[in-house]
Amino acid sequence: MKKMKELIVSAIDSGTVIDHIPAKSVMQVVRILGLEDFENTILIGTNFDSKKLEKKGIIKVKGKFFKPEIINKIALVAPQATLTIIENYDVKDKTVVEVPEDIIGLVKCANPKCISNHEEITTEFKVVNKTNGLKLKCHFCEKTFGQEDMRIV
Ligand SMILES: [Zn+2]
């Protein structure tokens, strides 16, 4: 089975592999990282069977290494994602994404009455819960909402 996965999403010589993305969040990760505009080779695989998740996706970006503050943004939609840095077909480093303390921009407030939904201001949230599903507290209306109500800008 392992062999087959490797065939579907082939290896890259150097770059970043983002694994353990919930299958439903793969396209959101693509958007958050701005991969639509990349000219590097990108391999995207999804709906693989996973022990940790129901179905998972993998993204491999050839010749690209992301800054932690960029990569941690994907924790919003893929809190269990792992990040592997590949150099010369070797694993250089493997880490798990970290949910940031504050989220600036990126997410829309779930409260329709919130000022941030009516004026041109950058949204701002405090992460008040990281385990058992993310919970964000809006800086402007002080409402707290969970992952299911999160809308990525
Ligand atoms: Zn709000």
Side-chain angles (χ1 to χ4, degrees):
M1 203 54 210
K2 194 166 183 291
K3 266 239 144 61
M4 208 169 142
K5 282 182 193 169
E6 279 162 15
L7 280 175
I8 296 166
V9 185
S10 58
I12 50 171
D13 55 352
S14 75
T16 304
V17 177
I18 305 155
D19 197 356
H20 298 109
I21 305 165
K24 61 176 172 27
S25 305
V26 169
M27 291 307 152
Q28 284 181 313
V29 172
V30 167
R31 273 183 54 205
I32 292 170
L33 295 178
L35 297 179
E36 298 113 317
D37 301 324
F38 273 34
E39 288 180 4
N40 307 38
T41 302
I42 299 167
L43 302 160
I44 299 170
T46 191
N47 291 329
F48 294 109
D49 290 316
S50 164
K51 283 187 198 110
K52 278 199 226 169
L53 306 160
E54 274 176 30
K55 291 277 181 189
K56 69 163 187 175
I58 302 175
I59 299 174
K60 301 186 178 194
V61 188
K62 190 178 155 85
K64 178 76 188 174
F65 306 96
F66 296 92
K67 289 194 181 111
E69 61 265 33
I70 301 289
I71 210 81
N72 286 340
K73 287 182 179 180
I74 72 167
L76 278 181
V77 294
Q80 301 187 62
T82 57
L83 196 72
T84 308
I85 307 296
I86 309 282
E87 273 179 35
N88 294 320
Y89 295 102
D90 254 351
V91 174
K92 267 272 167 212
D93 192 25
K94 193 166 180 172
T95 52
V96 179
V97 295
E98 267 178 58
V99 181
E101 298 294 320
D102 299 285
I103 293 160
I104 313 293
L106 206 68
V107 181
K108 265 180 137 15
C109 182
N111 172 13
K113 291 189 178 141
C114 180
I115 187 170
S116 71
N117 285 321
H118 298 282
E119 284 180 30
E120 286 285 310
I121 42 177
T122 307
T123 59
E124 215 177 306
F125 302 92
K126 253 219 149 18
V127 179
V128 289
N129 189 31
K130 294 186 184 184
T131 47
N132 299 321
L134 286 183
K135 281 215 174 358
L136 303 184
K137 187 176 181 184
C138 177
H139 170 75
F140 297 102
C141 67
E142 302 202 314
K143 283 239 170 8
T144 301
F145 60 96
Q147 201 151 17
E148 62 284 358
D149 295 319
M150 254 179 233
R151 274 192 302 138
I152 306 290
V153 183

